Amino acid sequence: MHRVVYSLIIINKAGGLVYNRDFNNALNKVSVNDLLVLAGTFHGVHAITKSLTPSSLGIPSSQRTGIEVLESSHFRLTSFQTFTGTKFLLFTEPHQPNVDVIIRKVYELYADYVTKNPFYQLEMPIRCEAFDRHLLTYMRAR
Amino acid sequence: MTTAAPAQQGPKTLVSSTPLQPQRMPQQSPQQRAGLRTPSNRKTIYDRNLNRTRTAELSRASFAYLFGEMVGYAQKRVTGIQDLERRLNEAGYPLGQRLLPLLLLRSSTPTHPAARPTRILPLLQFIAHTLWRHLFARSADSIESSSTNNHEYMISDNEPLVNQYISVPKEMSQLNCAAYVAGIIEGVCCGVGCKAGVSAHNAGEEGGMWPGKTVFLIKFEEEVVKREGTK
C-alpha cells in the first residue's frame, strides 16, 4: 500500500521548535519563521484545548489530552505528546493508516539517538546526525 | 529501543570485576536495608562465581546513559579534543587491566590453564576475539598491520557499541568517543607487558555502509617489537 508521510516537527516543552524535516516536497515550503509561529501557536492551542476537558467527568489532569488530530482537505496533522511535554507533529496524507505506529517509532528513535547523545542539550534544537540518518532510513523503508 | 536483557535475578554488570553496588549487610532488618539494593537471595556480586556472569547481559540503554554521562563528565574541564580523548582513554585503562586476568581465568580449564598472550599476534587475536566478544558480544571486524611501520597495528570495528547513539557535533569532528575502548585495549596490552599507545580514529565515509567505522591504532613501543624479533 502506498503511504505518505510529508513532514515531522518536534516541539519542546516550552513551545519552541527544535526539529523539522520534510520527507518529500508534497507540502508547500514555509519559512522557518512561520514554522516557529506554527509550533508556538500549536503549543498554546494544545494547552487551551486540554483545559477544555469537562471537569464534571472527573478525569485527572494528567490524563487529559489536548488536540490530537487536525485535518485539512489535503493533509492530516497528528500530534503526540510525551510524558515530559515534548510534542511530535506528523503531517501525513489524510488517509494514511497507522500514524500512531509511525509516531511511536519516531519517539523511539528520538529517545535513542537524541536523548542518549551526550552532546545534545535538552530543549535545544536537535542536530544529531545519527537521528537524521535513522529517521530517513525508517521513513524510506516503510 | 534497547536490547532486552534476559530475565534474570540479581544485578547485572558489564564486567564483574567492577561492582557498582558493593554492599552487603545481612544483619540488618528489612526496614533498615530499604535504601540499599541487595538481591533477594542476599548474594552480592562478590558471592558469585567469577564464571557465572559469562552469559549475563547488560541493558544497552542504561549503558548508553551511563557512557553519555561519562563523556559529559570528561568534557567538563577539558582544554581540547585531545584532552577529552585522553580522559576517556584513562577511564578505560583500568578496565582493560582487570579484564585481562578475568578473561584468562574464564578461558582456562582445570587441565589447560590459559597462558597470557605474550607475543603481538596472539595478543591482537585475544583482543579482537576474546575481549571483543566479552564486551560487545561479537568479534572485531578486522585486524591489520601497518604497511609503513612495523610498530603499528590496527583493529577496526564497523559500528562500535559505545558510539551507537552518539552524534559528534561538526565542530568536534576529530573526536571519537571510542577512545574509551582504546583505553581498555591499552590496559590489556600493558597488562601482558607489551607497552603500547592506543588511539581511536574515525574511518567511516559519509553515506557509506558504515558511517561510524572506527579504527583502533595500536602503537607498540620500540622494545616490544625488538623483543618480538629475538624470540
Side-chain angles (χ1 to χ4, degrees), chain B:
Chain B
M1 186 191 305
T2 61
T3 325
Q8 281 177 322
Q9 292 298 309
K12 293 162 212 139
T13 58
L14 188 64
V15 190
S16 56
S17 56
T18 52
L20 298 168
Q21 297 280 327
Q23 68 276 67
R24 188 191 184 198
M25 298 183 175
Q27 287 87 18
Q28 288 178 324
S29 69
Q31 280 88 1
Q32 282 171 306
R33 286 191 292 112
L36 296 173
R37 283 178 51 212
T38 312
S40 53
N41 59 6
R42 293 275 191 88
K43 292 230 167 164
T44 65
I45 193 162
Y46 293 124
D47 299 300
R48 279 185 291 166
N49 190 312
L50 275 173
N51 270 328
R52 267 198 48 196
T53 44
R54 187 184 296 183
T55 50
E57 285 181 25
L58 177 82
S59 152
R60 187 172 292 199
S62 47
F63 174 72
Y65 283 121
L66 179 67
F67 188 67
E69 285 307 310
M70 279 173 62
V71 175
Y73 178 76
Q75 218 184 345
K76 283 218 171 96
R77 295 171 301 271
V78 292
T79 53
I81 289 168
Q82 282 193 327
D83 196 30
L84 176 55
E85 287 197 334
R86 184 185 55 79
R87 277 165 188 262
L88 287 173
N89 188 299
E90 280 170 4
Y93 187 86
L95 186 59
Q97 290 212 307
R98 286 169 172 76
L99 274 176
L100 175 68
L102 178 73
L103 292 177
L104 288 176
L105 177 86
R106 284 191 186 162
S107 56
S108 297
T109 57
T111 48
H112 289 281
R116 257 186 343 167
T118 48
R119 306 197 62 153
I120 288 177
L121 276 182
L123 172 63
L124 293 173
Q125 295 275 356
F126 175 81
I127 291 169
H129 299 293
T130 315
L131 178 72
W132 234 256
R133 240 178 242 146
H134 173 72
L135 291 175
F136 312 123
R138 59 180 174 83
S139 297
D141 292 297
S142 73
I143 312 174
E144 292 160 56
S145 67
S146 165
S147 50
T148 51
N149 192 333
N150 65 346
H151 297 191
E152 297 180 356
Y153 292 85
M154 287 161 288
I155 292 178
S156 55
D157 191 320
N158 289 341
E159 212 180 358
L161 182 128
V162 294
N163 284 352
Q164 187 174 12
Y165 300 122
I166 295 181
S167 310
V168 175
K170 283 211 168 59
E171 63 270 19
M172 299 171 84
S173 59
Q174 289 294 306
L175 173 72
N176 190 328
C177 293
Y180 177 67
V181 180
I184 300 177
I185 299 174
E186 201 171 315
V188 171
C189 290
C190 293
V192 298
C194 297
K195 276 196 99 181
V198 185
S199 49
H201 302 274
N202 296 319
E205 58 259 42
E206 196 105 349
M209 189 158 173
W210 305 109
K213 183 173 176 172
T214 297
V215 169
F216 298 96
L217 181 65
I218 308 173
K219 282 185 190 165
F220 286 103
E221 305 246 316
E222 195 93 22
E223 73 238 27
V224 178
V225 182
K226 249 185 214 161
R227 188 176 63 203
E228 187 82 2
T230 56
K231 266 182 198 167

Side-chain angles (χ1 to χ4, degrees), chain A residues 17-133:
Chain A
L17 178 78
V18 289
Y19 189 82
N20 75 290
R21 178 152 294 264
D22 294 338
F23 301 108
N24 57 42
N25 298 321
L27 286 187
N28 265 344
K29 290 256 188 300
V30 289
S31 69
V32 180
N33 257 343
D34 284 352
L35 275 179
L36 283 166
V37 172
L38 174 71
T41 310
F42 188 88
H43 182 76
V45 171
H46 185 271
I48 293 167
T49 49
K50 185 177 174 185
S51 70
L52 282 176
T53 311
S55 53
S56 59
L57 295 177
I59 302 167
S61 104
S62 59
Q63 285 171 27
R64 296 179 190 173
T65 64
I67 198 163
E68 287 184 340
V69 179
L70 263 179
E71 256 182 357
S72 81
S73 55
H74 284 87
F75 68 85
R76 186 168 60 180
L77 190 165
T78 313
S79 143
F80 169 75
Q81 186 172 21
T82 70
F83 288 111
T84 51
T86 307
K87 276 189 269 297
F88 294 84
L89 308 189
L90 209 59
F91 292 86
T92 58
E93 210 187 15
H95 304 295
Q96 164 82 34
N98 296 327
V99 181
D100 53 331
V101 177
I102 302 170
I103 236 166
R104 285 198 168 267
K105 179 69 185 177
V106 172
Y107 180 31
E108 188 181 319
L109 291 171
Y110 169 85
D112 272 355
Y113 296 99
V114 178
T115 61
K116 286 180 191 142
N117 182 3
F119 300 102
Y120 174 66
Q121 283 176 304
L122 280 178
E123 314 299 330
M124 296 302 278
I126 298 167
R127 283 192 206 89
C128 300
E129 175 265 329
F131 178 61
D132 290 345
R133 186 153 38 85

